[in-house]
Amino acid sequence: MRDLLLDGVRWRPTGRDEPTLDGLRLHVPGGQKVLLTGVSGSGKSTVLRALAGLLDPEAGDLEQAPTGPSRPGERGLLLQNPAHAVVGATVARDAAIGPENAALPRPEIHERVRRALDAAAVDVDGSRDPLAVSGGQQQRVALAGALALHPEAMLLDEPTSMLDPEAAATVRRAVLAASAGRTLVIADHHVEPWREHLDRIVVLGSGAQVLADGPPEEVLARRPELQETEPAPGPAPEAELRIEPGLLTVVTGASGAGKTTLLRSLAAEAGRRRGSLLLVPQDPAHFFLASTVRGELGDAADPAAAADARSLLDRAGLAHLAGANPHRLSGGEQRRLAIIAALAARPEVLLLDEPTVGLDAERRSAVLALLEEARDRGTAVVAASHDPVLVAAAGSRHHLEGTPSPAPTAASASAGATTPAPGASAEPDRRILPVPRAAHRPADALNPLMLCLIGILAAVGSYAVSTWQGGLLALLPTVLLAPLALRSVRGAVWRLTPVLLSAVSIAWTTALLGEAPALSGEAWLLGLKEACRITAFVAPGVIALTSLDVTALGDALGGRLRWPARPVVAVVAALVRAGHTGRQWEIITSTRVLRGRGGRRSPRMLAGATLALLVDSLRGAEQQALALDARGFATATRRTWALPSRFTRADLVGGAVAVLLLVWPALAQLLWASLPG
């Protein structure tokens, strides 16, 4: 088992004046269990990336670059935001990415996925969409993705930060069992839950300078501030959710119980009523409007507002980052910024989703003090949280019932047997299956390559259209076959509107500028012919692609056609995430409406939200690339695929349809020409 070594690493990300790692020297012997802790923004996440060998020299200035892994997945890195680690369309397929990159045989891929999902205590079916489950569930899915590669070293960034206490304990047990015989490095603000299992604690300061390093008892004796006291139990749960001026209410419940959904519903209701309400979402980057930290806190030209902003930045420990881009901050820094930006607006109601995740004890105390001040001046504060310190500070508590995570046996936690412990609930379905469909259509049975062939041959056949009459006849098969692929009238309108608008535009242009007299009857018929041609060229492909599953397309291109694996995987992962832009758009637009950037249809709001979505997409792409590389993508030389890409009898029908669309326009022309007169 190889040691992990950072020998004087210096790393300054693009856009930051000061280095995140400033000459860091850290040696982790193979098999050692180490906890990295320290104030928010001290570089813990970056240290883990450095240990994984995943610092990108093109994204900043890197000196004394560390040695990378010797095989795909040798060092399993779990990112701080689990949503960024999602690269598959389903939970099981996400866990399979690493074993696929390692070119394992298909049966072994399925077995590793099953064991990894058990070991991480993932309590949802393998067919679920990983971006549609709760943040806590995403954390477990991401952990399974790391475990599936049987890493020699596990590098985990806040692995239980978004979990309720019971689920956190379950995942900790799973991590510790799975790390037996492996190196384990965990970045966490909470020392006590890991304390008895550690060989060593490393305390980091600014620039990832090592402030303390040694056995747990020795470090804790020298730095007593790391020892957490048990908070008071807090108020008893109440049946009705209370949102009252001057009241701090905490919403608790198991991971996945619906806390985030409840906050969004409250925000949506306030939006309809035009109330003075702000929601700080679970991903604080979705809250940002400005290009600088200082700009997030309002109008600097107002002396009173400027003074208030300086005070908030000081108290949140962000004054030295006033000129930085909010999207370049660490996770904890972003969370503190979003909270003080919301407080600066002085809303009547403030909703916060997990406001203390990723914060050290000192920063958490500062945030709690700010929330209590807001409460004292009459703001109704509602926070969804698992944090017992925040619960203890609340005046009211509303608990959502949820299903606890199944506790794995010691064997399953070490990626072995999967028999549930006595009394445990039935296990979720762990199989790797095709991406489920909301509504099945006959075209779904076709291989993705056949769907592509239908679109290609239909486009080739459209060149035979030479008259408007033949063009109308050429469209007949498309009209008759469309219901076999389209799932709803609304979906059909949504997909075909751009095609029809293009056809109308071409018809108008041809009628106005074509060879016939402008806007004459002859000109309009020529325009109709061109409109039919472009519709016959595009529409069949658009309709066929309605049934296209991008994951299955990747299996077909890579597994059957043997296209280069790296571009296929990268494109499929990007398209999977692109399918969720609607959810991101809703969060971004809702936040901007609540922050007073106009109504949902105002040009100002739409322009700003579009730019924010672009920034979010670029940031997500960067993190997704990191997640893929952590799963062995960067060093993979060849690849296997978890599911085969098969052709069935349905594809024979699909082939006949493709040939029909190829030859029918020419036949239609001949048919029309043969008619009398």
Side-chain angles (χ1 to χ4, degrees), residues 252-278:
T252 60
S255 301
K259 299 183 293 297
T260 295
T261 302
L262 175 60
L263 292 187
R264 290 180 183 172
S265 299
L266 294 173
E269 181 63 26
R272 286 190 289 271
R273 295 181 179 181
R274 301 297 181 187
S276 174
L277 177 147
L278 283 179

Side-chain angles (χ1 to χ4, degrees), residues 71-385:
R71 66 167 177 85
E74 179 188 71
R75 305 172 193 176
L77 173 65
L78 179 65
L79 302 181
Q80 186 176 54
N81 187 335
H84 291 156
V86 171
V87 290
T90 67
V91 166
R93 201 60 194 263
D94 188 81
I97 293 290
E100 289 177 319
N101 289 336
L104 298 179
R106 187 170 291 145
E108 186 173 352
I109 292 174
H110 286 253
E111 181 63 15
R112 285 207 183 188
V113 167
R114 180 178 64 83
R115 291 182 176 182
L117 292 173
D118 279 338
V122 175
D123 56 357
V124 296
D125 285 343
S127 59
R128 286 286 300 276
D129 177 354
L131 286 175
V133 301
S134 72
Q137 289 166 336
Q138 287 176 356
Q139 221 155 8
R140 281 172 272 180
V141 172
L143 176 60
L147 293 177
L149 274 167
H150 292 181
E152 291 184 10
M154 295 170 57
L155 311 171
L156 311 181
D157 198 352
E158 303 272 4
T160 61
S161 60
M162 293 185 181
L163 301 178
D164 62 90
E166 183 177 351
T170 299
V171 171
R172 271 194 300 273
R173 289 194 298 270
V175 167
L176 293 167
S179 66
R182 296 178 172 129
T183 305
L184 177 64
V185 183
I186 303 168
D188 205 325
H189 295 295
H190 302 290
V191 176
E192 195 59 37
W194 304 101
R195 179 176 177 175
E196 64 180 287
H197 307 285
L198 300 173
D199 299 312
R200 179 179 170 196
I201 294 177
V202 178
V203 183
L204 300 178
S206 177
Q209 296 296 307
V210 177
L211 303 181
D213 183 356
E217 300 307 319
E218 178 183 317
V219 172
L220 292 174
R222 283 188 286 145
R223 305 191 72 89
E225 71 275 9
L226 297 177
Q227 302 188 47
E228 300 175 273
T229 57
E230 188 70 24
E238 299 181 9
E240 298 296 329
L241 178 61
R242 295 170 59 193
I243 305 177
E244 301 175 6
L247 179 67
L248 170 57
T249 299
V250 173
V251 179
T252 60
S255 301
K259 299 183 293 297
T260 295
T261 302
L262 175 60
L263 292 187
R264 290 180 183 172
S265 299
L266 294 173
E269 181 63 26
R272 286 190 289 271
R273 295 181 179 181
R274 301 297 181 187
S276 174
L277 177 147
L278 283 179
L279 167 64
V280 177
Q282 198 169 90
D283 185 345
H286 290 150
F287 191 79
F288 299 146
L289 301 177
S291 59
T292 65
V293 167
R294 173 62 189 82
E296 285 294 332
L297 275 71
D299 184 10
D302 181 352
D308 189 32
R310 285 194 298 270
S311 174
L312 288 171
L313 287 171
D314 284 337
R315 297 179 63 183
L318 298 173
H320 65 294
L321 297 171
N325 187 304
H327 294 282
R328 291 293 180 182
L329 305 182
S330 72
E333 290 166 344
Q334 286 185 339
R335 198 167 301 279
R336 277 139 54 202
L337 174 59
I339 292 171
I340 63 173
L343 291 172
R346 295 182 176 262
E348 296 174 6
V349 179
L350 177 59
L351 309 177
L352 305 134
D353 199 350
E354 300 288 359
T356 58
V357 165
L359 302 185
D360 60 89
E362 181 181 354
R363 301 304 187 198
R364 179 174 60 182
S365 296
V367 166
L368 286 177
L370 290 169
L371 295 181
E372 288 169 349
E373 288 180 15
R375 174 202 64 191
D376 292 342
R377 64 173 178 257
T379 300
V381 181
V382 181
S385 180

Side-chain angles (χ1 to χ4, degrees), residues 283-656:
D283 185 345
H286 290 150
F287 191 79
F288 299 146
L289 301 177
S291 59
T292 65
V293 167
R294 173 62 189 82
E296 285 294 332
L297 275 71
D299 184 10
D302 181 352
D308 189 32
R310 285 194 298 270
S311 174
L312 288 171
L313 287 171
D314 284 337
R315 297 179 63 183
L318 298 173
H320 65 294
L321 297 171
N325 187 304
H327 294 282
R328 291 293 180 182
L329 305 182
S330 72
E333 290 166 344
Q334 286 185 339
R335 198 167 301 279
R336 277 139 54 202
L337 174 59
I339 292 171
I340 63 173
L343 291 172
R346 295 182 176 262
E348 296 174 6
V349 179
L350 177 59
L351 309 177
L352 305 134
D353 199 350
E354 300 288 359
T356 58
V357 165
L359 302 185
D360 60 89
E362 181 181 354
R363 301 304 187 198
R364 179 174 60 182
S365 296
V367 166
L368 286 177
L370 290 169
L371 295 181
E372 288 169 349
E373 288 180 15
R375 174 202 64 191
D376 292 342
R377 64 173 178 257
T379 300
V381 181
V382 181
S385 180
H386 301 299
D387 187 351
V389 176
L390 183 56
V391 172
S396 174
R397 177 184 172 199
H398 179 66
H399 186 76
L400 297 178
E401 295 298 331
T403 303
S405 307
T409 64
S412 69
S414 60
T418 57
T419 304
S425 59
E427 292 183 355
D429 190 342
R430 304 301 198 197
R431 292 176 296 169
I432 306 175
L433 299 172
V435 177
R437 306 282 188 162
H440 182 76
R441 304 301 298 158
D444 295 343
L446 299 180
N447 187 284
L449 297 179
M450 184 57 65
L451 291 169
C452 293
L453 183 65
I454 289 173
I456 292 170
L457 293 188
V460 173
S462 69
Y463 283 98
V465 173
S466 58
T467 65
W468 66 268
Q469 298 96 332
L472 290 175
L473 283 175
L475 292 175
L476 185 60
T478 300
V479 173
L480 295 177
L481 294 172
L484 300 180
L486 295 171
R487 285 168 164 70
S488 65
V489 174
R490 180 181 179 183
V493 171
W494 176 256
R495 291 178 179 275
L496 293 177
T497 293
V499 178
L500 298 178
L501 288 176
S502 297
V504 170
S505 175
I506 288 175
W508 166 258
T509 303
T510 303
L512 183 64
L513 303 175
E515 297 178 358
L519 302 181
S520 64
E522 182 183 0
W524 280 114
L525 291 178
L526 286 174
L528 177 59
K529 180 199 74 172
E530 295 302 325
C532 290
R533 190 202 300 251
I534 192 64
T535 304
F537 183 89
V538 178
V542 171
I543 294 171
L545 294 181
T546 298
S547 297
L548 186 66
D549 168 22
V550 295
T551 302
L553 177 62
D555 294 338
L557 294 176
R560 180 167 284 277
L561 296 187
R562 306 298 180 187
W563 281 23
R566 286 178 60 84
V568 169
V569 174
V571 169
V572 169
L575 290 175
V576 166
R577 184 166 290 274
H580 295 272
T581 53
R583 183 182 296 115
Q584 306 303 96
W585 175 260
E586 176 60 28
I587 296 172
I588 290 171
T589 54
S590 298
T591 299
R592 287 176 171 263
V593 168
L594 291 173
R595 292 194 72 181
R597 289 303 174 100
R600 286 187 173 272
R601 297 183 180 180
S602 71
R604 179 191 182 196
M605 193 285 295
L606 292 174
T610 301
L611 179 60
L613 182 63
L614 176 61
V615 171
D616 187 72
S617 298
L618 293 174
R619 182 173 61 99
E622 177 185 356
Q623 292 295 307
Q624 189 176 59
L626 176 62
L628 277 170
D629 287 346
R631 310 271 189 98
F633 185 67
T635 55
T637 55
R638 63 186 184 91
R639 197 175 192 277
T640 50
W641 308 85
L643 292 179
S645 180
R646 295 191 175 97
F647 286 99
T648 65
R649 292 180 179 178
D651 291 299
L652 294 176
V653 178

